[in-house]
């Protein structure tokens, strides 16, 4: 390996591994309550909430850390934090 | 429209993807991770990152967490490295938005460096993401830690004032200075956009509540950031030729509109055990700060 | 063109002729006139460079780190307290494998405040991964600066040119300044291990498994080792183009047939050579091995050239609790030596001193570690 390769890292998801495993609570979507304001998506620190068809949303659980910000910011309680089972 | 306090934005104006990739090492509910999302409104960003939590957040070799160029640099050096980079790009005609993303600690140790770069009016954007302590080394007090906040080096509560870094930077007569908050991303994004249209030294002081450092639940980062604004404890303003209190903070010019400070303080373990007198004193400090900034609004009309 | 220049101005001319594009530095005596000169050249547009008026030495090296990592030939200069102040960056730049050139005008370290030469400041860099050279005269300071850019860029390691306060920095000597055309022809386009560019989303220097640090250091060590050959080759090629060769890592002066070999470095080597000439007339066979480079360190040359000679190492620095720094270094290569510590804090050491010193050495009248002159330290 060239020495510069020891210094240079390339963009990659999951630089800390599969951070979804950090979760104790999982965000669960209640689509029927969603008003599609996208606040959840906007403030998710992990950027794992995707804007889907017609501005409904989709969680990418592989990296979602379960911080709960999306649920706490949702104006319609359309996201519920549910305890992960072992 | 996405509402963020009083500022709203068309959804299409929002940055679609963060330049910080998922699965990075930031803690749950990390304010830096939220703030960094806003940088994707910048064209050709090059990030300079001194020591701090973001050093870790930026990924673990060989996997970088950013999908923009990042240069890690020593704690006190960021604004100077950025100056050199800017000089090279200027000489070579390379278009880039050079952004220094640093913590309040880096702004402490690198204060002379920051000041020097501001005086030279270097063509860079500096964002100080202020979580009011040295988090990466385990929550030690910084110049911007709030009065009475408990940290590992102020276990009984910090005895000194919080330094008003943004006002000090403004006094360097730079073309752009502002405060912002991770609780009001549209406001922060607007400020970044405006800053990006200006040449020279641009400074943004970003308020970044940190769950482990301030001892609150990871779901509350945005909420607490907003409470800081709603109680008037953190004031959003912008200077670009003229000085103005910006939208999310505007209603709170009128002290009677503010949410009681206790609502903000009680959410955080770092303020546990504050006496009533202490809370009153903080309120009067906040009042002083408002007077000061409203006077600025008069002066820099 | 032959012209009269001080060491500092000669270095500034070399930086100009090497077409450095970014210069950042902070004033400190005796380095100051290098950057004053360069600032003037930039302002008069005699050189197509940016001059960054930084607020400290830490920022000076930080700024040229930034400009060099972005791809441009960059230069800074400092002395003494300035070097110590930028110490964190000294290591960072080396570990980051960024080619650039820095002049260190050697000056002692306070207290007491003292602006005169010794070599302690420069030698604090020795473990950091910089290629470290030291000039004997103004011409050599010029030549090393030009060569420094080439060596640094080829090795992917930063390069420092050392020269003594005042004796070189502020003393005018006649130097042969090559033309821009000749330097252009000799100095290749800048190359470097990597660059930071807006369109290339790489992250430089992030945390990682410990073995990356270990591998990087090992790689640096090997590159440093290879730089020995590089230094010698560049010296030779420079000689072909400009007619001056110095011998690469070391210079030999009347060494081959010498019974007594003096090892030293820097401006005072000139006076010591005069002393050697005089002693030779008195039939004392003394010679000199002048260290032109501390890093990479010329073990092989020392072993070969000092074989079966009595060796005296003259240091202008001291490692507290041990001996002179060159003394330590040379004994690591060849074993037993005698070590004189002289000229600390700029104390004058002239031809007569050297004559007496070498004579005493031959007469076995020096201690293993001798502070010179003895009567000063009674
Ligand atoms: C010269 C130097 N001193 C101390 C440190 C140790 N250190 C690393 S990060 C840090 C604190 C960072 O605090 P801040 O800038 O507020 O960033 P945060 O971690 O809070 O995001 C310290 C003290 C260092 N890296 N370099
Ligand atoms: S915040 Fe709530 S209502 Fe808004 S888009 Fe997300 S889930 Fe839907
Ligand atoms: S729990 Fe946190 S990381 Fe997961 S989707 Fe919600 S905001 Fe994003
Ligand atoms: S300690 Fe705070 S600022 Fe640092 S990574 Fe964790 S949440 Fe983010
Ligand atoms: Mg901090």
């Amino acid at each position: 390996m060239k020495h510069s390769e020891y210094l240079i890292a390339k963009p990659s998801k999951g630089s800390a591994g599969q951070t979804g495993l950090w979760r104790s609570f999982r965000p669960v979507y209640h689509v029927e309550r969603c008003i599609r304001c996208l606040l959840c998506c906007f403030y998710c620190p992990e950027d794992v909430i995707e804007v889907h068809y017609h501005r409904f949303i989709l969680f990418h659980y592989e990296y979602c850390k379960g911080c709960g910000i999306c649920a706490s910011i949702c104006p319609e309680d359309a996201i519920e934090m549910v305890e992960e089972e072992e | 429209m996405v509402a963020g306090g009083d500022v709203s934005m068309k959804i299409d104006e929002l940055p679609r993807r963060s330049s910080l990739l998922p699965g990075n090492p930031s803690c749950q509910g990390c304010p830096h991770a939220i703030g960094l999302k806003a940088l994707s409104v910048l064209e050709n960003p090059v990030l300079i990152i001194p020591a701090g939590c973001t050093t870790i957040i930026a990924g673990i070799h060989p996997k970088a967490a950013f999908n923009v160029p990042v240069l890690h640099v020593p704690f006190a050096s960021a604004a100077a490295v950025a100056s050199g980079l800017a000089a090279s790009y200027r000489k070579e005609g390379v278009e880039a938005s050079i952004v220094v993303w640093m913590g309040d600690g880096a702004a402490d140790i690198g204060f002379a460096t920051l000041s020097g770069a501001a005086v030279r009016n270097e063509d860079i954007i500096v964002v100080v993401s202020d979580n009011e302590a040295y988090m990466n080394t385990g929550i030690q007090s910084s110049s911007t830690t709030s009065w009475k906040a408990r940290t590992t080096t102020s276990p009984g509560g910090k005895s000194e004032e919080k330094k008003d870094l943004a006002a000090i930077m403004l006094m360097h007569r730079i073309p752009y200075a502002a405060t912002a908050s991770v609780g009001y991303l549209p406001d922060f994004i607007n400020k970044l956009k405006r800053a990006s249209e200006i040449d020279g030294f641009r400074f943004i002081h970003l308020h970044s509540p940190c769950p482990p450092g301030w001892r609150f639940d990871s779901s509350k980062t945005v909420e607490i950031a907003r409470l800081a604004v709603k109680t008037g404890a953190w004031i959003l303003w912008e200077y670009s030729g003229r000085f103005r209190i910006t939208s999310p903070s505007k209603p709170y010019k009128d002290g009677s509109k503010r949410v009681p400070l206790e609502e903000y303080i009680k959410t955080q373990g770092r303020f546990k055990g504050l006496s009533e007198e202490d809370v009153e004193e903080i309120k009067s400090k906040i009042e002083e700060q408002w007077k000061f900034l409203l006077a600025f609004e008069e002066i820099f009309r | 063109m032959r012209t009269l220049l001080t060491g500092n101005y000669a270095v500034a001319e070399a930086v100009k002729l090497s077409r450095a594009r970014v210069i950042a530095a902070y004033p400190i005596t005796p380095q100051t006139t290098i950057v004053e000169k360069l600032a003037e050249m930039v302002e008069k547009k005699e050189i197509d460079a940016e001059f960054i008026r930084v607020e400290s030495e830490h920022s000076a090296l930080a700024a040229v780190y930034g400009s060099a990592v972005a791809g441009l030939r960059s230069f800074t200069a400092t002395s003494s307290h300035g070097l110590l102040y930028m110490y964190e960056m000294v290591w960072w730049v080396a570990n980051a494998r960024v080619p650039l050139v820095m002049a260190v005008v050697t000056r002692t370290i306070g207290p007491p405040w003292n602006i005169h030469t010794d070599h302690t400041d420069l030698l604090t860099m020795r473990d950091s991964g910089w290629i470290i050279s030291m000039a004997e005269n103004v011409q050599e300071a010029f030549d090393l600066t030009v060569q420094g850019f080439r060596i640094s860029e080829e090795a992917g390691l930063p390069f420092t040119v050392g020269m003594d306060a005042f004796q070189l920095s502020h003393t005018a000597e006649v130097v042969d300044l090559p033309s821009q055309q000749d330097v252009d022809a000799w100095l290749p386009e800048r190359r470097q291990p990597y660059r930071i560019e807006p369109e290339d989303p790489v992250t430089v220097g992030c945390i990682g498994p410990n073995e990356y640090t270990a591998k990087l250091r090992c790689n640096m060590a090997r590159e440093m080792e290879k730089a020995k050959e590089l230094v010698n080759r560049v010296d030779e090629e420079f000689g072909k183009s400009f007619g001056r060769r110095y011998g690469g890592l070391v210079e030999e002066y009347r060494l081959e047939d010498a019974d007594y070999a003096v090892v030293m470095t820097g401006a005072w080597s000139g006076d010591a050579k005069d002393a050697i000439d005089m002693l030779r007339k008195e039939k004392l066979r003394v010679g000199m091995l002048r260290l032109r480079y501390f890093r990479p360190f010329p073990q092989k040359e020392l072993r070969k050239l000092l074989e079966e000679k009595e060796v005296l190492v003259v240091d202008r620095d001291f490692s507290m609790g041990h001996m002179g720094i060159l003394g330590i270094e040379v004994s690591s290569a060849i074993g037993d030596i005698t070590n004189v510590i002289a000229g600390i804090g700029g104390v004058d050491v002239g031809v007569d001193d050297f004559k007496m010193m070498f004579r005493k050495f031959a007469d076995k009248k020096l201690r293993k570690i001798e502070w010179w002159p003895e009567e000063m330290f009674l």
Side-chain angles (χ1 to χ4, degrees):
Chain A
M1 205 150 64
K2 283 219 318 281
H3 62 80
S4 44
E5 288 167 37
Y6 304 135
L7 279 168
I8 290 178
K10 301 265 168 67
S12 173
K13 285 187 184 178
S15 55
Q18 206 177 314
T19 51
L21 297 171
W22 298 9
R23 234 174 15 239
S24 327
F25 291 88
R26 154 192 295 259
V28 173
Y29 186 36
H30 297 288
V31 62
E32 69 285 358
R33 292 187 213 149
C34 177
I35 56 166
R36 298 179 283 169
C37 67
L38 300 183
L39 272 178
C40 54
C41 174
F42 197 42
Y43 282 94
C44 168
E46 233 16 66
D47 206 21
V48 291
I49 306 178
E50 196 184 316
V51 184
H52 217 54
Y53 299 118
H54 305 292
R55 299 176 51 172
F56 288 107
I57 60 158
L58 193 72
F59 291 99
H60 289 283
Y61 289 108
E62 194 182 2
Y63 297 120
C64 160
K65 291 172 182 164
C67 67
I69 286 178
C70 52
S72 91
I73 206 168
C74 174
E76 300 295 324
D77 283 335
I79 301 172
E80 186 188 354
M81 297 305 288
V82 177
E83 197 158 357
E84 292 277 1
E85 285 157 33
E86 271 309 309
Chain B
M1 303 287 267
V2 170
D6 296 348
V7 180
S8 23
M9 269 186 160
K10 285 206 201 71
I11 184 73
D12 305 322
E13 289 175 14
L14 295 177
R16 264 297 139 88
R17 287 268 77 106
S18 177
S19 44
L20 181 64
L21 299 170
N24 64 69
S26 63
C27 311
Q28 290 152 315
C30 176
H32 293 327
I34 298 174
L36 284 163
K37 295 180 81 168
L39 299 187
S40 41
V41 297
L42 300 173
E43 305 268 330
N44 306 314
V46 175
L47 275 186
I48 313 284
I49 301 178
C53 280
T54 313
T55 308
I56 315 295
I57 297 170
I60 301 165
H61 207 287
K63 291 184 176 178
F66 282 100
N67 60 8
V68 296
V70 172
L71 188 60
H72 285 279
V73 302
F75 204 17
S77 69
V81 177
S83 305
L85 215 61
S88 272
Y89 290 162
R90 191 162 48 242
K91 276 240 133 322
E92 296 286 88
V94 174
E95 291 283 338
S97 310
I98 300 171
V99 181
V100 172
W101 175 275
M102 60 156 101
D104 45 312
D108 271 355
I109 195 170
F111 187 63
T113 315
L114 195 57
S115 178
V119 167
R120 294 190 302 271
N121 197 24
E122 295 287 353
D123 193 20
I124 62 179
I125 298 174
V126 175
V127 179
V128 171
S129 184
D130 183 4
N131 49 21
E132 301 191 346
Y134 303 160
M135 295 311 174
N136 189 43
T137 38
I139 326 175
Q140 293 85 24
S141 275
S142 77
S143 303
T144 59
T145 301
S146 297
W147 183 70
K148 285 289 170 186
R150 292 175 198 276
T151 67
T152 54
T153 50
S154 60
K158 189 189 171 199
S159 47
E160 303 87 20
E161 291 298 320
K162 179 178 172 77
K163 173 165 100 181
D164 190 346
L165 182 61
I168 296 167
M169 294 315 294
L170 175 68
M171 286 300 112
H172 284 74
R173 304 289 186 253
I174 51 180
Y176 187 90
T179 60
S181 163
V182 296
Y184 297 91
L185 273 189
D187 175 71
F188 180 35
I189 287 171
N190 279 332
K191 286 171 175 168
L192 273 173
K193 278 189 181 159
R194 256 192 305 279
S196 70
E197 287 154 11
I198 294 171
D199 293 332
F201 192 89
R202 292 142 289 166
F203 182 82
I204 301 179
H205 190 176
L206 179 70
H207 197 230
S208 296
C210 156
W214 297 14
R215 285 182 277 150
F216 61 78
D217 186 79
S218 65
S219 62
K220 302 255 184 287
T221 308
V222 173
E223 201 176 310
I224 288 174
R226 288 184 178 179
L227 273 171
V229 171
K230 288 176 184 165
T231 55
W234 182 254
I235 306 167
L236 299 172
W237 56 260
E238 181 179 53
Y239 171 86
S240 56
R242 85 186 176 96
F243 185 99
R244 57 190 193 94
I245 306 291
T246 49
S247 290
S249 277
K250 259 190 203 154
Y252 311 113
K253 283 185 182 182
D254 176 353
S256 70
K257 299 262 165 58
R258 292 177 208 153
V259 171
L261 182 68
E262 289 80 355
E263 298 294 310
Y264 174 57
I265 282 177
K266 74 178 186 202
T267 56
Q268 304 161 43
R270 64 177 179 155
F271 288 125
K272 215 170 154 192
L274 274 198
S275 68
E276 258 172 53
E277 298 83 75
D278 288 344
V279 176
E280 286 312 308
E281 192 158 342
I282 297 175
K283 282 182 188 167
S284 70
K285 288 179 198 296
I286 290 173
E287 205 39 58
E288 287 299 310
Q289 180 68 2
W290 274 99
K291 272 195 211 145
F292 176 72
L293 292 182
L294 290 172
F296 265 26
E297 215 172 28
E298 288 303 314
I299 296 164
F300 296 111
R301 271 202 170 285
Chain C
M1 183 180 74
R2 291 183 70 75
T3 179
L4 197 64
L5 284 176
T6 63
N8 279 357
Y9 285 176
V11 167
E13 290 295 337
V15 171
K16 173 183 157 187
L17 288 168
S18 303
R19 295 192 189 275
R21 307 287 304 284
V22 179
I23 297 148
Y26 191 78
I28 181 167
T29 308
Q31 164 273 141
T32 309
T33 56
I34 299 180
V35 291
E36 282 177 349
K37 189 74 196 169
L38 284 166
E40 185 189 315
M41 288 170 169
V42 170
E43 201 157 299
K44 287 186 177 156
K45 297 199 169 17
E46 292 168 10
I47 167 174
D48 177 23
E50 292 255 348
F51 186 89
I52 309 176
R53 266 184 302 277
V54 284
E55 76 302 323
S56 76
E57 288 85 356
H58 194 279
S59 289
L61 192 48
V64 291
Y65 165 58
S67 59
V69 111
L72 294 194
R73 202 164 270 167
S74 304
F75 174 82
T76 186
T78 192
S79 291
S80 181
H81 291 261
L83 180 63
L84 300 191
Y85 199 72
M86 66 164 62
Y87 202 49
E88 182 189 32
M89 290 309 306
V90 165
W91 287 72
W92 190 276
V93 163
N95 288 339
R97 306 297 306 270
V98 177
L100 53 85
V101 173
M102 169 161 77
V104 173
V105 183
T106 58
R107 161 182 159 180
T108 194
I109 295 163
W113 285 117
N114 179 343
I115 54 174
H116 296 97
T117 191
D118 64 41
H119 300 158
T120 318
D121 55 354
L122 181 71
L123 293 176
T124 62
M125 294 175 74
R126 78 200 146 127
D127 303 331
S128 65
W130 283 65
I131 296 175
I132 304 171
S133 67
M134 185 77 184
E136 181 190 321
N137 53 45
V138 172
Q139 182 73 62
E140 192 178 16
F142 174 92
D143 292 346
L144 279 171
T145 306
V146 175
Q147 292 177 19
F149 284 106
R150 172 140 171 199
I151 292 169
S152 172
E153 288 161 18
E154 208 164 317
L157 290 167
F159 187 101
T160 191
V161 185
M163 72 171 151
D164 285 274
F166 302 108
Q167 292 175 20
L168 288 197
S169 66
H170 290 66
T171 305
E173 292 173 11
V174 175
V175 281
D176 188 14
L177 276 191
S179 68
Q180 183 67 63
Q181 217 177 351
D182 288 349
V183 176
D184 285 347
W186 188 79
L187 202 55
E189 283 281 292
R190 178 180 172 85
R191 56 159 144 148
Q192 65 191 85
Y194 61 89
R195 286 166 189 243
I196 285 279
E197 292 160 319
E199 59 279 1
D200 187 13
V202 295
T203 290
V204 179
C206 69
I207 54 167
N210 297 347
E211 68 178 74
Y212 281 90
T213 305
K215 283 178 176 169
L216 190 73
R217 292 302 175 281
C218 174
N219 190 279
M220 273 171 83
R222 287 178 182 158
E223 204 60 54
M224 237 336 155
E225 216 33 56
K226 279 199 259 166
K228 292 178 177 175
E229 187 274 325
L230 173 64
V231 162
N232 291 334
R233 173 158 52 83
V234 166
D235 181 58
E236 219 166 280
E237 285 172 16
F238 191 86
K240 273 187 211 142
S241 298
F242 299 102
R244 285 183 299 279
R245 279 191 60 186
Y246 296 88
L249 292 167
V250 301
E251 184 206 24
E252 296 170 59
Y253 186 75
R254 307 187 77 162
L255 189 60
E256 204 174 346
D257 66 340
D259 303 318
Y260 305 97
V262 179
V263 179
M264 54 195 297
T265 194
W268 64 356
S269 313
D271 288 339
K273 286 175 182 171
D274 289 347
I276 287 171
D277 291 344
M278 293 175 185
L279 290 169
R280 283 274 177 170
K281 285 197 188 118
E282 298 169 21
K283 301 279 178 273
L284 188 69
R285 292 207 297 206
V286 201
M288 181 190 292
L289 185 149
R290 181 170 67 90
L291 289 170
R292 298 185 66 239
Y293 284 80
F294 301 119
R295 289 291 182 268
F297 192 69
Q299 290 101 323
K300 210 179 71 198
E301 287 79 355
L302 291 179
R303 286 200 195 106
K304 189 171 138 234
L305 299 171
L306 299 178
E307 212 183 348
E308 295 185 4
K309 296 187 198 304
E310 299 280 332
V311 177
L312 171 69
V313 180
V314 186
D315 260 295
R316 200 161 201 167
D317 52 78
F318 191 76
S319 173
M320 287 299 154
H322 201 174
M323 59 199 285
I325 297 171
L326 298 188
I328 299 170
E329 299 265 324
V330 174
S331 36
S332 79
I334 61 161
D336 195 38
I337 56 128
T338 298
N339 197 187
V340 162
I341 315 300
I344 300 290
V347 165
D348 244 354
V349 184
V351 180
D352 291 341
D353 283 282
F354 285 121
K355 244 182 100 181
M356 206 189 315
M357 189 190 298
F358 301 161
R359 173 65 75 192
K360 267 183 134 179
F361 175 58
D363 294 345
K364 306 220 167 347
K365 289 201 179 119
L366 290 177
R367 295 185 192 84
K368 268 284 156 219
I369 298 173
E370 172 102 11
W371 286 70
W372 184 275
E374 197 183 6
E375 55 284 7
M376 192 181 281
F377 304 102
L378 288 178

